[in-house]
Amino acid sequence: MNVSLKWLSDHIDFSDYSMQELDDLLTFTGIEVEGIQSLPDHLVVAEVLSSDPHPDADKLSVCQVDDGSGSPRQIVCGAKNYKVGDKVPLALPGCVLDAGDGKTFEIKEGKLRGVPSLGMMCAAAEIGLTDDADGLMILSPDLKPGTPLSEIYPAVFELEITPNRPDCLSHLGVARELAALSGKKLTGAAHHADSKTPTRVAKADEITLSTDSCPYYTARIVRGVKVGESPAWLKEKLESIGLRPINNIVDITNYVLMEMGQPLHAFDMAKLEGGINVRQAAEGEKFVALDGETYPLTAEDMVIADGKKAVAIGGVMGGEDSGVTETTTDVLLESAWFVSSDIRRTARRLNLHSDSSYRFERGADAYQVNGASDLAIKMILDLAGGTAEDEMIVAGEKPDAPAPVELDNEYVRSVIGAEISDETISGILSSLGLSGSGGKWTIPSYRLDLPRPVDLVEEVARVYGLDKVPSNQQSWFSPKSKADESYDFARKIQTTLSGLGFFETRNLKLISEAQLSDDRATTHRGMSPIRLKNPLNDEQDYLRPGLVPGLLASAERNQRFGNADLRLFELGRVFTATPKGGEVEHEHLALLMTGGRTTRSWADGKPSNLDIHDLRAALEAICPPGLNLVPVDDERLLCGCSIEIGRGKKSAKLGLAGIVPPARARELDLGAPVMVAEINLKKLIAAFSDELKYAELPKFPGSSRDMAMLVPADLAAGSVAEFFAAYEEKLLQSVELFDVFQDSSGEKLPADKKSLAYSVTYRAADRTLEANEVETAHAKLLNSLKSRLNVEFR
Amino acid sequence: MLEELEVIKTDALTAIGPVSDESGLEEVRIGFLGKKGRLTAASAGMRDVPKELKKDVGQKLNEVRTAITTALDEKGAALTAARDAAAFASIDATLPSRPLPTGGLHPLSLVLDEAVSVLRRMGFALAEGPEIETEWHCFDALNTPEDHPARNESDTFYFENGKLLRTHTSSVQIRTMQKEVPPVRIIAPGSAFRRDEIDATHLSAFNQLEGLYVDKNVTLADLKGTLEYFFREIFGSKTEVRFRPHFFPFTEPSFEVDLKLHATGKAAKWIEIAGCGIVDPAVFSEVTTKRGDAAYDPSEVSGFAFGMGIDRLAMIMYGIPDLRLLIENDVRFLGQFS
């Protein structure tokens, strides 16, 4: 909400405060100062002395204006709405104006179609005052040329009022709050809320309330008004907070709204047919509001109707045809109280938010409805003349005033944790307009946010200030949680991988439907991706079922930035739905490698590309011993493998690894092979045994034998490894594959064969092996290999 | 005999002198000390030496052997040293390094880890909860009015089954209180989602760090001390911290926390960094109804809660101007934090 300092000074005198002090005071009231608007320098009042047609442009005029300097200034102007003698805002050279979108532009001396122009005459929108961009802003004729506009429209605070404090949505409300915090007294018109006007209950043909959304409605009739322009002081007040003046009657209702926070509406009596009926709208009823738009209503909306038609959407906006215009002579002034949630529903559904709905939906003070009407009527009589009916016509009942609240001061101290005296507590609550004795506090009707004792504690804490509360420092012992364990585990993985040259990435959890097909390394079967009901756009409408889509997108982006050699990983949550529609969330880890194994340098002028074996090395670094990549048939990957710890049926299956099909990689402009792997983190944690145990180091030397064997070219090394894992020989200590050779030309080896060379080590824990023991064991091994895997030894 | 030995010594030393490689030296050694070497042959002549001379000749033999051996060893060492020197002479230690792949943690992980480390020292344990949440956990239980704007489909992502993507990590407060009894002292880092278009200061998903302490007699003074300590550990012991009254549905009283920080070369200013407050009794009442026991009876326990944006913390700590950098994963950006 915009609050004008000048307007605020009607109620409270802050002339002894600097802007910064006032800003601080508001801030510690709990009202955030989002900005302070002030008009720019070099913006002054100018009087138009003459206006002649531009010699070369039909739409432009050449004006001489009085800028207060004593000599006329020439300005070329395109507007038509002014006449000679009008006072207008003039931006002098050097004036910096807002150009929208965060940009500014500076006024300079220049020429328009060959005619010198030494400044710019401005519309209200151009100087950022109101949204009125139609023609020049015409200022009060009483202003002296040369007066800076910032004197007429002084600084305005843009305040963020939290939703629990609708009572601060007016100048009086803010002044009241500031008075409580500063200890200053409210001056002037503090008691608008009290009404002295006699009331009478409406007759059935005057006002009917046939909806629960409007518990209380008042109308006051003024006849013989003269609708016209508002006086300068009223226009300036409204303009200063960004409201465009309309006519004196409408301006008065806006003034009272901004002054007291009570929305009012003025109807042209001549346009009402019959009495006021506040009712629910008919389903499908159409309403043309004063913004010119047609709104389709439902039975949930409330309208103010006359005998024939709706004339306003209650509490939200009046109608196009029933408002006050220049021809209006008799006015019916509505001041009413509506149920906040009902107004909110309608405003939200129609996306029609007005200053009125904003206040009603947050909660207006029912006990100032009559007073607000009084203030408006008094102003109408002053500014537009006419005769008011003596009585205010009322229908319905005001809602109950807020109930008193019992407060134990011990409770206050126990929540705040400070020794605040009873006197201080009472002093704070009294300053806020509460009255009480014996711990029972009466709540002012405008404070709808104080139904409970804890709400009063908040008031005390807020005004007392947390700066005066002691800082209590203590620590505790907390047992380690499951979340602690997985956090620590993840940290280890992060550290290991970053040590291996991987960068940790964080990708968006929302992905597009197209990206779903990049989910290449997850293993959830029968599970489906989860779609949002209300996505923002079709780039982000699914929750990611795996991490690879995000990693591929990051790889593509990096490629575009010129980073071709990539080792990336991500640790994060993935989401899938079960066939029954339940959601499952898992923590996953995914790796992506592509490009050169190392950066090109003097040491390696042509680094080779990373391959699936590098991926395996990285997996071994983060997995427990016993890692196996077991080939699986999965069209999403080339060389797709299941990542397993252990062998056979008892192995722990952690996830999938493989190569992204080159066709997809090329679509992403990734030229080198792209290896990916994805692992379920919980399964990885579980695969680690609980404890690490020392195993005795060998005391006796081992004996090694090398062997090279010819095997079918398509025999996986993993099958040989499987053979060795299952092979029973107590003396066999380890087997290392040290050479793989294949010759597709068929010259050195048959083309359908390959050679695998292993170094086999034999060792006994308790003695040095005799040569014949080793020979016997090795011969047995060779025989077994021959018979089981059909190999030939070279 | 003695003269012969002296000649062998002189000959050996003369032969060793000009030797320039290890194989030449080995030849010399064999020539004098080998099985058929001259000294070996001479020592075989010992048996013909008259008894009375044996002592002198024996001494001389040892002296000559020692002299030759020493000269061979010294020459050998000199040759090795020369070979070593030659072997390393061509090395240029000023060449750039042989590259190792460089990796690193994401800046958000670094910031989060720093925050988590401090809070763990203060006795908080980690907690977590689902990101796909029920409306009850995300809003109802947190005392959010039925028609609160945050519940709008324009602001929050929903699923067809009525669940939603949590809009804050505060739902973990509720998850934790459902499972654990007081005292509860948890922090919960995690993602939250709001239906915002992505720009320099908004992401549809962001990262928060939630904290909750529930016990008997928890006060605002505890909250103040905890957060002051936390932020001073992170930003330095002299960091100014202020608590500004604010409004959140699930805390009463509520505050926003500002730190006085300065960007490089700029004047220090107050920067909003966290929200916090005393847990609203209405939250405990909701939890109590759900649990069906009195563990969180609002008249028995009290608590404080706080929450802050990790993305914002990272932006402030590292001077990152645009949130989108945090999700682009440009390795040139990531490399700045390794």
Side-chain angles (χ1 to χ4, degrees), chain A residues 318-340:
Chain A
E320 192 174 45
D321 300 329
S322 57
V324 172
T325 64
E326 279 69 23
T327 59
T328 303
T329 54
D330 300 345
V331 168
L332 181 146
L333 182 77
E334 164 198 295
S335 181
W337 190 84
F338 302 109
V339 174
S340 58

Side-chain angles (χ1 to χ4, degrees), chain A residues 556-577:
Chain A
E556 180 192 25
R557 217 165 15 242
N558 269 295
Q559 184 75 28
R560 228 167 37 229
F561 296 149
N563 316 318
D565 307 329
L566 298 170
R567 290 174 172 86
L568 305 177
F569 78 98
E570 178 165 13
L571 267 165
R573 209 169 277 201
V574 301
F575 309 82
T576 44

Side-chain angles (χ1 to χ4, degrees), chain A residues 24 27-32 160 162-164 340-341 344 348 411 413-418 449 452 454-458 461-462 466-488 491 494-495 497-510 530-537 540 543 550 554 557-558 561 563 565-569 573 575 581 583-585 587 597-603, chain B residues 95-106 108-110 112-114 116-117 120-133 143 145 147-149 152-154 156-161 163 165-166 185 189 191 193 195-198 203-205 207 213 215 217-226 228-229 242-247 251-256 258 272 278 280-282 304 326-332 334-335 338:
Chain A
D24 286 348
T27 299
F28 283 97
T29 312
I31 297 176
E32 200 168 326
E160 188 204 331
T162 54
N164 59 327
S340 58
S341 53
R344 194 174 316 157
R348 198 164 293 164
Y411 175 61
R413 288 185 277 268
S414 79
V415 172
I416 298 179
D449 59 325
R452 306 169 301 170
V454 70
D455 301 317
L456 300 194
V457 174
E458 173 169 66
R462 182 168 77 84
L466 221 54
D467 53 328
K468 293 197 215 64
V469 172
S471 296
N472 192 21
Q473 285 186 359
Q474 48 172 319
S475 59
W476 314 278
F477 306 114
S478 291
K480 190 168 166 178
S481 66
K482 272 264 176 270
D484 279 303
E485 280 171 22
S486 51
Y487 181 86
D488 291 337
R491 277 291 295 159
Q494 286 171 311
T495 315
L497 285 173
S498 78
L500 290 173
F502 282 80
F503 277 111
E504 185 189 17
T505 65
R506 284 181 175 236
N507 290 288
L508 288 177
K509 289 177 178 169
L510 292 171
I530 303 174
R531 189 175 189 279
L532 288 170
K533 179 182 166 200
N534 58 336
L536 206 50
N537 51 53
Q540 298 173 46
L543 275 170
S554 278
R557 217 165 15 242
N558 269 295
F561 296 149
N563 316 318
D565 307 329
L566 298 170
R567 290 174 172 86
L568 305 177
F569 78 98
R573 209 169 277 201
F575 309 82
E583 306 83 10
V584 184
E585 301 182 20
E587 296 295 329
R597 185 166 290 123
T598 173
T599 333
R600 184 166 179 240
S601 73
W602 60 270
Chain B
L95 278 175
S97 63
R98 189 184 302 280
L100 285 174
T102 47
L105 298 197
H106 195 280
L108 287 179
S109 294
L110 297 175
L112 177 64
D113 200 52
E114 196 172 337
V116 167
S117 313
R120 281 174 144 190
R121 282 210 304 280
M122 295 161 71
F124 287 87
L126 284 161
E128 56 190 11
E131 291 172 27
I132 301 176
E133 262 300 3
N143 195 34
D147 49 6
H148 193 276
N152 280 5
E153 282 196 11
S154 58
T156 298
F157 290 117
Y158 281 89
F159 300 98
E160 286 298 343
N161 64 4
K163 288 192 179 176
L165 280 176
R166 69 182 178 198
R185 297 172 280 258
S191 296
F193 300 81
R195 211 167 161 275
D196 274 335
E197 292 283 358
I198 293 178
L203 295 180
S204 53
N207 297 279
Y213 172 35
D215 204 344
N217 307 317
V218 179
T219 69
L220 268 178
D222 298 325
L223 171 62
K224 186 185 175 196
T226 299
E228 278 178 351
Y229 176 81
R242 76 176 187 190
F243 292 80
R244 201 157 35 73
H246 199 70
F247 171 75
T251 48
E252 183 88 342
S254 306
F255 294 88
E256 277 189 332
D258 297 340
E272 179 186 323
I278 294 290
D280 194 299
F304 66 67
L326 295 172
I327 53 164
E328 280 178 350
N329 301 310
D330 183 340
V331 295
R332 295 168 304 174
L334 297 174
S338 59

Side-chain angles (χ1 to χ4, degrees), chain B residues 297-313:
Chain B
D297 180 346
S299 62
E300 290 294 321
V301 297
S302 53
F304 66 67
F306 59 86
M308 67 194 87
I310 296 297
D311 315 72
R312 189 170 166 75
L313 218 51

Side-chain angles (χ1 to χ4, degrees), chain A residues 47-295:
Chain A
E47 180 176 348
V48 181
L49 301 174
S50 67
S51 175
D52 298 303
H54 190 290
D56 289 325
D58 293 347
K59 292 190 174 162
L60 298 179
S61 312
V62 180
C63 303
Q64 300 298 325
V65 303
D66 176 4
D67 61 7
S69 65
S71 50
R73 177 178 285 270
Q74 179 167 300
I75 308 286
V76 179
C77 175
K80 295 279 175 230
N81 68 317
Y82 63 94
K83 56 186 191 299
V84 169
D86 276 349
K87 305 271 172 60
V88 297
L90 172 67
L92 297 168
C95 179
V96 178
L97 293 175
D98 189 358
D101 295 334
K103 297 192 182 75
T104 58
F105 72 100
E106 187 182 329
I107 302 293
K108 295 197 172 89
E109 293 187 2
K111 281 184 179 173
L112 277 168
R113 290 285 182 96
V115 176
S117 180
L118 311 178
M120 183 175 100
M121 298 195 284
C122 304
E126 285 168 327
I127 58 174
L129 211 49
T130 72
D131 62 355
D132 190 349
D134 292 342
L136 300 183
M137 180 179 187
I138 308 298
L139 300 167
S140 160
D142 304 335
L143 294 172
K144 203 168 153 281
T147 310
L149 246 73
S150 57
E151 280 179 21
I152 308 157
Y153 302 101
V156 167
F157 280 102
E158 287 169 65
L159 303 181
E160 188 204 331
I161 309 289
T162 54
N164 59 327
R165 294 301 305 275
D167 61 296
C168 288
L169 294 174
S170 66
H171 283 82
L172 182 56
V174 171
R176 195 163 52 203
E177 187 70 11
L178 288 175
L181 272 110
S182 63
K184 285 178 179 285
K185 287 267 173 297
L186 284 181
T187 56
H191 302 292
H192 290 329
D194 303 332
S195 169
K196 295 192 181 68
T197 308
T199 60
R200 70 172 173 81
V201 175
K203 296 178 203 129
D205 61 350
E206 286 174 329
I207 305 172
T208 316
L209 302 183
S210 46
T211 165
D212 293 338
S213 298
C214 178
Y216 186 65
Y217 194 98
T218 75
R220 187 110 182 258
I221 291 161
V222 191
R223 294 181 201 278
V225 299
K226 191 170 181 324
V227 177
E229 227 180 296
S230 292
W233 68 264
L234 178 54
K235 287 206 295 191
E236 282 162 14
K237 255 186 171 157
L238 295 177
E239 283 163 344
S240 71
I241 58 167
L243 289 179
R244 187 202 292 212
I246 311 286
N247 62 46
N248 50 8
I249 305 292
V250 174
D251 291 351
I252 287 167
T253 61
N254 281 334
Y255 172 86
V256 173
L257 170 75
M258 292 301 173
E259 166 80 351
M260 299 177 66
Q262 172 64 38
L264 302 173
H265 191 68
F267 293 103
D268 183 341
M269 289 281 286
K271 293 166 190 163
L272 295 178
E273 302 169 271
I276 295 286
N277 181 16
V278 186
R279 59 165 170 85
Q280 295 304 119
E283 194 69 37
E285 185 169 351
K286 294 227 177 345
F287 182 76
V288 184
L290 54 78
D291 61 1
E293 302 284 327
T294 302
Y295 293 93

Side-chain angles (χ1 to χ4, degrees), chain A residues 384-674:
Chain A
T387 317
E389 285 189 357
D390 291 340
E391 290 172 317
M392 191 183 298
I393 311 165
V394 306
E397 298 284 338
K398 290 173 196 153
D400 290 341
V405 175
E406 302 249 10
L407 185 70
D408 178 356
N409 289 346
E410 274 312 313
Y411 175 61
V412 179
R413 288 185 277 268
S414 79
V415 172
I416 298 179
E419 281 309 312
I420 306 175
S421 69
D422 290 350
E423 292 72 40
T424 308
I425 294 171
S426 301
I428 288 171
L429 294 177
S430 306
S431 74
L432 290 167
L434 282 68
S435 52
S437 61
K440 192 166 184 174
W441 291 92
T442 303
I443 312 297
S445 59
Y446 50 84
R447 290 304 299 268
L448 304 171
D449 59 325
L450 305 177
R452 306 169 301 170
V454 70
D455 301 317
L456 300 194
V457 174
E458 173 169 66
E459 294 305 293
V460 176
R462 182 168 77 84
V463 178
Y464 184 73
L466 221 54
D467 53 328
K468 293 197 215 64
V469 172
S471 296
N472 192 21
Q473 285 186 359
Q474 48 172 319
S475 59
W476 314 278
F477 306 114
S478 291
K480 190 168 166 178
S481 66
K482 272 264 176 270
D484 279 303
E485 280 171 22
S486 51
Y487 181 86
D488 291 337
F489 185 85
R491 277 291 295 159
K492 272 192 216 164
I493 301 259
Q494 286 171 311
T495 315
T496 304
L497 285 173
S498 78
L500 290 173
F502 282 80
F503 277 111
E504 185 189 17
T505 65
R506 284 181 175 236
N507 290 288
L508 288 177
K509 289 177 178 169
L510 292 171
I511 63 174
S512 67
E513 185 165 9
Q515 278 182 289
L516 286 177
S517 55
D518 271 338
D519 176 30
R520 291 175 185 276
T522 53
T523 53
H524 23 70
R525 293 205 180 77
M527 309 283 274
S528 48
I530 303 174
R531 189 175 189 279
L532 288 170
K533 179 182 166 200
N534 58 336
L536 206 50
N537 51 53
D538 56 11
E539 291 299 302
Q540 298 173 46
D541 50 356
Y542 277 91
L543 275 170
R544 61 180 182 192
L547 299 176
V548 170
L551 283 179
L552 279 174
S554 278
E556 180 192 25
R557 217 165 15 242
N558 269 295
Q559 184 75 28
R560 228 167 37 229
F561 296 149
N563 316 318
D565 307 329
L566 298 170
R567 290 174 172 86
L568 305 177
F569 78 98
E570 178 165 13
L571 267 165
R573 209 169 277 201
V574 301
F575 309 82
T576 44
T578 64
K580 287 184 176 170
E583 306 83 10
V584 184
E585 301 182 20
H586 288 301
E587 296 295 329
H588 274 199
L589 163 69
L591 278 61
L592 178 147
M593 308 174 90
T594 185
R597 185 166 290 123
T598 173
T599 333
R600 184 166 179 240
S601 73
W602 60 270
D604 187 353
K606 214 178 162 206
S608 53
N609 275 336
L610 289 159
D611 58 30
I612 188 89
H613 315 296
D614 294 290
L615 179 66
R616 182 181 181 123
L619 289 171
E620 280 174 352
I622 53 170
C623 288
L627 173 81
N628 285 306
L629 294 185
V630 181
V632 291
D633 206 15
D634 191 323
E635 75 284 356
R636 298 175 300 172
L637 292 169
L638 280 186
C639 304
C641 289
S642 161
I643 303 167
E644 304 187 5
I645 307 297
R647 293 185 184 281
K649 284 190 176 156
K650 282 190 177 165
S651 70
K653 296 178 177 54
L654 307 184
L656 288 179
I659 303 169
V660 175
R664 176 57 183 149
R666 275 192 293 273
E667 281 172 13
L668 300 169
D669 282 333
L670 299 167
V674 182

Side-chain angles (χ1 to χ4, degrees), chain B residues 21 25 61 74 110 145 148 150 157 182 211 221 227 290 299 307 310:
Chain B
D21 59 26
L25 193 63
L61 199 60
E74 279 173 1
L110 297 175
H148 193 276
F157 290 117
L227 288 185
K290 194 81 169 180
S299 62
I310 296 297

